[in-house]
Amino acid sequence: TYVATQSGDYWVTVDNGQNVLVSVPITVLVIDNQAPQPVIAQLLPMTIQLLDNNIPGIVSLYPTATDNCRGTITATTTDPVSFAIPGTYTILWKYDDQNGHVVYQSQQIDVLKPIDITPPVLTLPANIIVAADISSCGAAVSFTATATDNSGDPVSISYSPASGSLFSVGNTIVTVTATDLSGNPATGTFTVSVLPTVVSPISGANNICVGATTILSTATTGGTWSSSNIAVASVDQSGNVMGLLAGTTDIMYTNSCGVFASLPVTVNAIPSAPIVSVTDNCGSSALTASGVTGTLLWSNGETTPGITVPSGTYTVTQTVNGCVSPSGTGTAVSLAIPATPTITVVNNCGSTLVSTDATGSILWSNNGGTLSSFTVTVPGTYTVTSTNADGCSATSGTTAVTINSIPVVAP
């Protein structure tokens, strides 16, 4: 028995071992009354992964159906089966058993972009330099990087530390990561440099004496004053510096961020008082200052180590490194000079009487006499010197002495 599934002419051949008998042609007409049946009743979506933007993806697996007469039928379609652009498409498949029965079946085709293995192109901001803010002792810094991807899709960008963070003084490396939709990362770094806050320079006199004060100042406000050596000099919060001990110290003004400006201050010792020696002379005294290393100033305005002055009390100070010593004192008691003597001349006939009002010891210049008066018989000029008990002397002016001749009586 033979079941014919296709119309046509058939022959029956019989081989009895001796003869072969062939029947006359038998015409068979097969009547197909069943449509093809898809092997998969509901086609699942087909995914095509593009390998390259320039190479299309092709549907390589066609669905099939079974037919009672034609057996397996492979579907055909008039829709495109080659795709170059990612997206979602629909193919209408056709099953035709060539016996008047046609069945259609649709299938979704998902065409995926090529697998992206190329990281984005990252553009970093330039290195950033900012000044710290006094309120935070750092700086809040914002920045933006950009990135593009070969896919054309958006790129996510992250920062560490984040944009807008508070950056401390110094250099901080910021790491930027750009990631595309395929997870490909690109990283880069740039530097945020935060400069420290600034304290304006300290101004004022920085050379003072023990026990003296000076006022220092700075344009910066809101900070505190301090001394690196409080034994040498102290400073209050108004910048008033007091010299305490000879030496040096740094006076500092520190802001709330710990940044400071400093000024070296020298405190000089007070020099010792000069020693004054007095030598009393006739009519004046000589005062001499010793034990001196600086410049001198006498109470009469003179500045030399030795001065000649009339009787009185005098003081002198010395200045070393701008510091004035206590006063040295000397009292001058000058020796008295006798009054200037005068000479009286009394002319007599043939002789002249010369006398003086000088006191103390007397010495005449012409004849060396020591008496207060004497008789002169020879004309000449005379002076007289008076010396007192202290050895101080005074000399008169010069006096000319003449002799009046005695008249001669004529015989």
Side-chain angles (χ1 to χ4, degrees):
T1 301
Y2 173 74
V3 177
T5 60
Q6 300 290 329
S7 299
D9 293 330
Y10 293 85
W11 289 265
V12 176
T13 301
V14 178
D15 184 356
N16 59 9
Q18 295 180 349
N19 297 299
V20 175
L21 301 176
V22 179
S23 70
V24 298
I26 301 172
T27 299
V28 176
L29 178 60
V30 177
I31 297 174
D32 187 357
N33 57 6
Q34 294 182 13
Q37 297 296 316
V39 174
I40 301 175
Q42 181 67 44
L43 292 175
L44 297 175
M46 178 183 295
T47 300
I48 297 177
Q49 177 69 63
L50 296 179
L51 300 179
D52 188 276
N53 287 326
N54 299 318
I55 301 176
I58 299 174
V59 175
S60 59
L61 180 63
Y62 286 43
T64 60
T66 59
D67 187 70
N68 61 328
C69 291
R70 296 185 59 84
T72 299
I73 299 174
T74 300
T76 62
T77 184
T78 58
D79 293 327
V81 293
S82 177
F83 305 94
I85 300 175
T88 300
Y89 302 87
T90 300
I91 294 179
L92 182 63
W93 297 109
K94 175 183 178 182
Y95 305 102
D96 188 351
D97 65 2
Q98 303 298 317
N99 288 319
H101 300 99
V102 176
V103 174
Y104 292 93
Q105 191 177 34
S106 63
Q107 184 176 23
Q108 177 178 310
I109 306 298
D110 295 322
V111 180
L112 305 181
K113 295 178 181 179
I115 297 175
D116 184 6
I117 59 173
T118 302
V121 176
L122 178 62
T123 301
L124 298 170
N127 292 336
I128 299 173
I129 301 176
V130 295
D133 180 72
I134 190 66
S135 62
S136 63
C137 301
V141 183
S142 298
F143 37 78
T144 301
T146 60
T148 58
D149 191 61
N150 62 338
S151 67
D153 292 328
V155 177
S156 64
I157 300 177
S158 62
Y159 309 91
S160 179
S163 177
S165 298
L166 180 65
F167 287 76
S168 301
V169 171
N171 298 324
T172 301
I173 302 298
V174 178
T175 300
V176 184
T177 302
T179 306
D180 63 19
L181 295 181
S182 297
N184 298 306
T187 61
T189 61
F190 66 95
T191 301
V192 173
S193 299
V194 179
L195 304 178
T197 55
V198 176
V199 175
S200 298
I202 298 172
S203 59
N206 65 337
N207 203 312
I208 62 174
C209 305
V210 170
T213 61
T214 184
I215 299 178
L216 303 181
S217 63
T218 173
T220 301
T221 59
T224 57
W225 291 95
S226 63
S227 171
S228 66
N229 191 339
I230 59 175
V232 171
S234 63
V235 60
D236 64 20
Q237 292 311 304
S238 295
N240 298 308
V241 179
M242 167 68 78
L244 303 175
L245 181 69
T248 58
T249 183
D250 288 325
I251 301 299
M252 296 170 288
Y253 188 81
T254 305
N255 67 14
S256 58
C257 295
V259 177
F260 65 89
S262 66
L263 181 71
V265 172
T266 299
V267 178
N268 298 299
I270 301 297
S272 58
I275 299 171
V276 179
S277 59
V278 180
T279 301
D280 292 320
N281 299 313
C282 297
S284 65
S285 296
L287 277 64
T288 303
S290 60
V292 176
T293 58
T295 58
L296 294 172
L297 179 63
W298 292 89
S299 55
N300 67 348
E302 296 193 51
T303 58
T304 56
I307 60 174
T308 298
V309 293
S311 296
T313 299
Y314 298 86
T315 61
V316 63
T317 59
Q318 65 167 324
T319 301
V320 179
N321 295 321
C323 300
V324 180
S325 71
S327 298
T329 303
T331 300
V333 181
S334 303
L335 302 178
I337 298 176
T340 301
T342 61
I343 298 175
T344 300
V345 177
V346 179
N347 290 316
N348 297 312
C349 294
S351 67
T352 298
L353 177 64
V354 180
S355 64
T356 181
D357 59 357
T359 60
S361 61
I362 298 172
L363 180 64
W364 292 94
S365 62
N366 196 311
N367 59 7
T370 59
L371 299 176
S372 60
S373 64
F374 62 93
T375 300
V376 176
T377 58
V378 179
T381 57
Y382 293 85
T383 62
V384 65
T385 299
S386 173
T387 302
N388 63 19
D390 291 325
C392 299
S393 60
T395 301
S396 69
T398 301
T399 300
V401 176
T402 58
I403 304 297
N404 294 328
S405 60
I406 300 173
V408 178
V409 178

